[in-house]
């Protein structure tokens, strides 16, 4: 089949490349000349493990075409996916301006019969707006069906998640579109949920919000465990062994971040508000989440007292490991709060430093974890990159001014670190 993706972010580029790898002829349309020129040479605008190699392979095979031009991709395609960003606006609602403007460009370039499908996370009801635009601008003889095909991949494991999803959701009542979309997804072995646009859109928001809720639950239990003198990690392990609950997404930490959970929780609250429903459950999920970032600063004060003039090393800046994505990363809030208290910050991240530098943070960057620990009064692990799991703590201890560590992801063995002479503080432990 011929397939077009509008957008080359974590969703668009990964899904497009995987579909090209299945043997489809794929167009990826962007709007920045420099990025498209780079993509044609195999230089990616994002970091995602394994993606660079897969893009190069499919570029070489001639199945992946990067372009600024909506024709011929849209005109030739069986399916056109909208995979552009829907960042939050101040009210918490998703900003649909890019989705709606690309819908207009797609509509104008339609020819024959094409399925237009949204992969972007959009609030329930967006389908009607997109369909209206497509209908009003399309050439007279062009025909289209519209579908919502939400994406469930995670950054850092995006290729594997695309190849092995838990389900494929196809939101359209149109039988012809259902058949084509099922055929396109045939190489992926996963249950298919066929439903309406509205239900598909709400499945995506509800799934992300439930995962966010699970994390806030884990963080609240961790906090209570600290207050009661219980081992929160063991409590959550014990809870997660119940198959009805499951042990995934139950790790306490500095709170969830990224471009999805924070935005989607806010959008769900806002969707409720629009219909007169106050979603207090998710207001609490958000409050608990942002409190976790403040908790790290409270723990720092408990260890060091006045933070003014204290040197604090931050290990990890991205919102999770294996990505360069800094959007709504807990590290940003934690660093700014520590700076407000007068601390001097030095930070290190294996991949995200270049993206971090685009955010105005008054900090210094270290060249590795050891450089980050030099003369530090306190080391705070914020992102659980694998390379931080293998740190030589004997060496770290000789470098630090004071051997204090806050392990916000509970990746270290507290007993081991205590034996080495560290003052160790985890989350919920
Ligand atoms: C999330 C969802 O997991 C995907 O299914 C979805 O497709 C994606 O959003 C999206 O809407 O595009 P992502 O944000 O890439 O994926 O990453 P996650 O692995 O879900 O992590 C999100 C945040 O939760 C990270 O900050 C992570 O550190 C945090 N987290 C995760 C915890 O604090 N504890 C956990 O137990 C799990």
């Amino acid at each position: 089949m011929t397939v077009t993706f509008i957008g080359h972010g974590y969703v668009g580029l990964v899904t497009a490349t995987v579909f090209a790898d299945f043997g489809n002829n794929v167009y990826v349309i962007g709007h920045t000349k420099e990025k498209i020129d780079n993509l044609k040479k195999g230089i990616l605008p994002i970091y995602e493990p394994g993606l660079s190699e897969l893009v190069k392979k499919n570029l070489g095979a001639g199945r992946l075409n990067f372009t600024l031009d909506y024709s011929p991709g849209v005109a030739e395609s069986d399916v056109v996916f909208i995979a552009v960003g829907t960042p939050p606006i101040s009210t918490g609602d998703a900003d649909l301006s890019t989705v709606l403007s690309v819908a207009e460009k797609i509509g104008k370039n339609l020819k024959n019969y094409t399925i237009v499908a949204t992969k972007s996370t959009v609030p329930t009801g967006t389908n009607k707006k997109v369909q209206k635009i497509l209908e009003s601008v399309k050439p007279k003889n062009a025909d289209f069906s519209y579908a919502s095909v939400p994406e469930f991949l995670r950054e850092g494991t995006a290729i594997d998640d695309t190849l092995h999803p838990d389900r494929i959701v196809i939101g359209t009542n149109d039988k012809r579109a259902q058949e084509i979309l099922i055929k396109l997804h045939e190489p992926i072995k996963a249950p298919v949920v066929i439903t309406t646009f509205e239900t598909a859109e709400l499945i995506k928001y509800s799934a992300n919000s439930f995962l966010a809720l699970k994390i806030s639950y884990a963080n609240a239990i961790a906090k209570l465990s600290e207050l009661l003198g219980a081992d929160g990690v063991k409590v959550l392990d014990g809870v997660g062994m119940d198959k009805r609950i499951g042990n995934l997404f139950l790790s306490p930490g500095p709170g969830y971040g990224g471009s999805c959970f924070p935005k989607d929780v806010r959008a769900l609250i806002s969707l409720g508000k629009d219909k007169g429903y106050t979603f207090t459950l998710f207001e609490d999920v958000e409050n608990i989440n942002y409190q976790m970032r403040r908790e790290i600063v409270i723990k720092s004060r408990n260890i060091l007292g006045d933070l003014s003039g204290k040197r604090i090393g931050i290990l990890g800046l991205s919102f999770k490991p294996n990505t360069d994505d800094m959007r709504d990363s807990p590290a940003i809030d934690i660093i700014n709060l520590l700076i407000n208290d007068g601390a001097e910050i030095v930070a290190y991240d294996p991949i995200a430093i270049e993206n971090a530098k685009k955010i105005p943070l008054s900090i210094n960057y270290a060249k590795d974890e050891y450089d980050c620990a030099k003369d530090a009064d306190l080391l705070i692990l914020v992102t659980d990159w694998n390379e931080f799991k293998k740190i030589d703590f004997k060496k770290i201890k000789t470098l630090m001014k004071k051997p204090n560590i806050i392990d916000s992801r509970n990746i270290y063995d507290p007993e081991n670190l205590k034996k080495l002479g560290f003052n160790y503080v985890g989350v919920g432990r």
Side-chain angles (χ1 to χ4, degrees), residues 302-348:
N302 289 345
I303 295 170
L304 296 175
D306 185 1
L307 297 184
S308 182
K310 300 281 163 50
R311 188 175 169 88
I312 300 180
I314 301 287
L315 291 177
L317 291 164
S318 53
F319 81 100
K320 61 179 281 188
N322 299 322
T323 182
D324 58 348
D325 200 341
M326 284 297 298
R327 286 176 289 178
D328 212 336
S329 173
I332 302 171
D333 281 350
I334 293 169
I335 287 171
N336 282 328
L337 289 166
L338 292 169
I339 289 174
N340 272 350
D341 267 27
E344 189 192 306
I345 307 294
V346 54
Y348 171 68

Side-chain angles (χ1 to χ4, degrees), residues 152-155 204 208 249 251 257 260-261 319-320 409:
F152 299 97
L153 63 81
R154 289 163 298 175
E155 291 178 23
K204 169 70 190 192
N208 270 6
F249 281 70
S251 301
C260 305
F261 289 171
F319 81 100
K320 61 179 281 188
R409 302 280 182 173

Side-chain angles (χ1 to χ4, degrees), residues 118 122-128 131 146-150 168-175 178 181 192-204:
T118 27
V122 290
T124 313
T126 306
N127 57 78
K128 291 206 175 77
Q131 267 183 303
Y146 179 75
S148 166
V149 184
I168 294 161
V169 175
I170 296 178
T172 175
N173 286 329
D174 190 304
K175 288 269 177 287
Q178 286 171 5
L181 286 167
V192 179
V193 179
I194 306 270
T195 184
T196 61
F197 314 121
E198 288 81 3
T199 306
E201 287 165 348
L202 198 54
I203 287 173
K204 169 70 190 192

Side-chain angles (χ1 to χ4, degrees), residues 149-164:
V149 184
E151 183 51 62
F152 299 97
L153 63 81
R154 289 163 298 175
E155 291 178 23
T157 51
I159 296 174
D160 198 53
D161 287 351
T162 307
L163 290 169
H164 308 286

Side-chain angles (χ1 to χ4, degrees), residues 364-377:
N364 290 311
Y365 292 97
K367 65 176 193 307
D368 58 27
E369 44 274 59
Y370 301 100
D371 190 27
C372 190
K374 226 173 179 176
D375 297 325
D377 296 282

